[in-house]
Amino acid sequence: MATNVAVIQSPPVLLQRDETLHQMLASIDAAVGAGATLLVFPEAYLPGYPTWIWRLAPGSDMALSSELHARLRENAVDLEGDTLAPLQDAAARHGVTLVTGLHEIDRRYSGTTLYNSVVVIGPDGRLLNRHRKLMPTNPERMVWGMGDASGLRVVETPAGRIGCLICWESYMPLARYALYAQDLEIFINPTWDSSDAGLASLRHIAREGGCWVIGTATAIQGSDIPATFPERDRLFTPEEWINVGNAVVIAPSGEVVAGPLNREKGILHAEIEVESARRARRSLDVCGHYARPDLFSLTVNRAPLPPVRFSDD
């Protein structure tokens, strides 16, 4: 079964959710026009990765941090609402599978806490899965809460069996194994890590899991930061590459078959043959004949972990 992949790494309109959604719809139209059936957007794409956290000082920039977080909260996505309806409608209209990172707000319990989430939208427009990043990295912990394993799932789509881990979650061997053990065919890694080391890790995952791997960060320059961004000119210079992107598609052999798309704000296209994932596992199947359940075991608690349970729920 051939799947036409489009990995979209154009910059969002940072801290502006509705404008970013409008831009995403244009990217979807362009990708579908080129034949794509599986479309992937980067980590925290709605309304953009909080790159400022790597530049602000913990003490002297506290007021600015508070203002930026407030704007981020106002532009986050409530999955119990209809914010994603335009993307779901586009997926259904075109009959394609969409994967995107986003800032998710918990309006049910706290109304404030944000999560770094990735969602899979099926070709009928249904939300097939929501995975919250298990462990935010370094200063990301000042932005996002920790997710649970309720979304640590592989879902069936016409494009293939898809599982997602976000950025450095790909370095968590047990999280990877939990996906491998669900007949994973396509591993998607929306990320901010565009380093050579990150690419090497994704190649290893492809070989280890016997699966296709799709990864992308956001290709963005200082000039892409909106003028409305507080203290933009102090934090960013117009010509700098804040992130070079490096969208990539990797075969189950570990071979890079498309990309990396470096310093290019665009779409990486590739055609993948999902069956080759199963063929790759003939020799090395880490959850099959290479597993030793008599020696090793893994238990995953996928129960949702709400902060409170009401007796009338």
Side-chain angles (χ1 to χ4, degrees):
M1 177 182 70
T3 295
N4 292 301
V5 177
V7 192
I8 299 156
Q9 66 172 30
S10 303
V13 185
L14 191 61
L15 288 179
Q16 297 180 32
R17 182 191 60 215
D18 294 344
E19 290 79 358
T20 299
L21 273 170
H22 181 75
Q23 198 164 277
M24 291 176 76
L25 295 176
S27 295
I28 290 169
D29 287 343
V32 170
T37 55
L38 171 60
L39 287 70
V40 178
F41 291 88
E43 178 180 9
Y45 196 74
L46 270 173
Y49 182 88
T51 182
W52 60 85
I53 61 177
W54 301 93
R55 303 187 180 209
L56 297 181
S60 58
D61 286 323
M62 192 65 70
L64 179 56
S65 294
S66 180
E67 174 61 25
L68 289 170
H69 190 275
R71 296 192 186 197
L72 185 58
R73 175 171 45 81
E74 292 166 0
N75 284 272
V77 175
D78 176 10
L79 291 180
E80 295 188 7
D82 60 358
T83 307
L84 292 186
L87 295 183
Q88 294 175 277
D89 291 345
R93 184 171 65 256
H94 294 298
V96 298
T97 302
L98 301 179
V99 179
T100 187
L102 52 84
H103 295 263
E104 180 192 354
I105 188 166
D106 165 30
R107 294 210 187 277
R108 181 176 183 185
Y109 295 106
S110 77
T112 298
T113 292
L114 303 176
Y115 295 93
N116 182 344
S117 299
V118 57
V119 297
V120 181
I121 300 172
D124 59 358
R126 289 187 304 117
L127 188 67
L128 301 180
N129 196 37
R130 181 280 318 273
H131 169 64
R132 290 174 172 173
K133 193 173 188 179
L134 300 174
M135 178 56 65
T137 301
N138 293 335
E140 291 180 355
R141 293 169 201 166
M142 299 294 291
V143 178
W144 297 309
M146 290 185 290
D148 58 33
S150 59
L152 199 62
R153 301 175 185 274
V154 171
V155 294
E156 184 79 42
T157 77
R161 293 183 56 79
I162 293 173
C164 305
L165 292 178
I166 303 167
C167 202
W168 277 19
E169 284 188 311
S170 62
Y171 290 137
M172 300 173 70
L174 300 185
R176 296 200 308 265
Y177 197 82
L179 294 184
Y180 298 158
Q182 298 175 64
D183 190 13
L184 176 69
E185 293 174 333
I186 303 174
F187 176 93
I188 296 179
N189 185 228
T191 187
W192 188 249
D193 185 358
S194 57
S195 68
D196 290 342
L199 174 59
S201 294
L202 294 184
R203 294 187 65 185
H204 167 83
I205 289 168
R207 179 66 173 144
E208 177 183 68
C211 56
W212 288 91
V213 171
I214 301 169
T216 186
T218 300
I220 184 170
Q221 290 179 276
S223 56
D224 297 311
I225 306 296
T228 54
F229 188 95
E231 299 192 39
R232 178 190 65 173
D233 295 338
R234 176 170 75 87
L235 296 176
F236 307 101
T237 58
E239 67 280 358
E240 71 167 307
W241 279 94
I242 302 169
N243 197 303
V244 297
N246 276 351
V248 67
V249 178
I250 304 168
S253 63
E255 176 189 1
V256 175
V257 298
L261 192 65
N262 183 275
R263 300 192 179 196
E264 186 173 339
K265 304 164 192 174
I267 303 175
L268 178 70
H269 290 275
E271 183 174 281
I272 66 175
E273 183 57 56
V274 175
E275 166 64 17
S276 62
R278 300 186 183 284
R279 297 193 177 200
R281 295 198 291 268
R282 180 182 65 83
S283 299
L284 174 65
D285 188 350
V286 295
C287 293
H289 61 265
Y290 250 78
R292 287 294 304 274
D294 54 327
L295 301 178
F296 310 110
S297 64
L298 172 63
T299 301
V300 179
N301 177 14
R302 290 205 302 204
L305 300 176
V308 62
R309 296 182 187 274
F310 297 99
S311 60
D312 59 348
D313 279 357

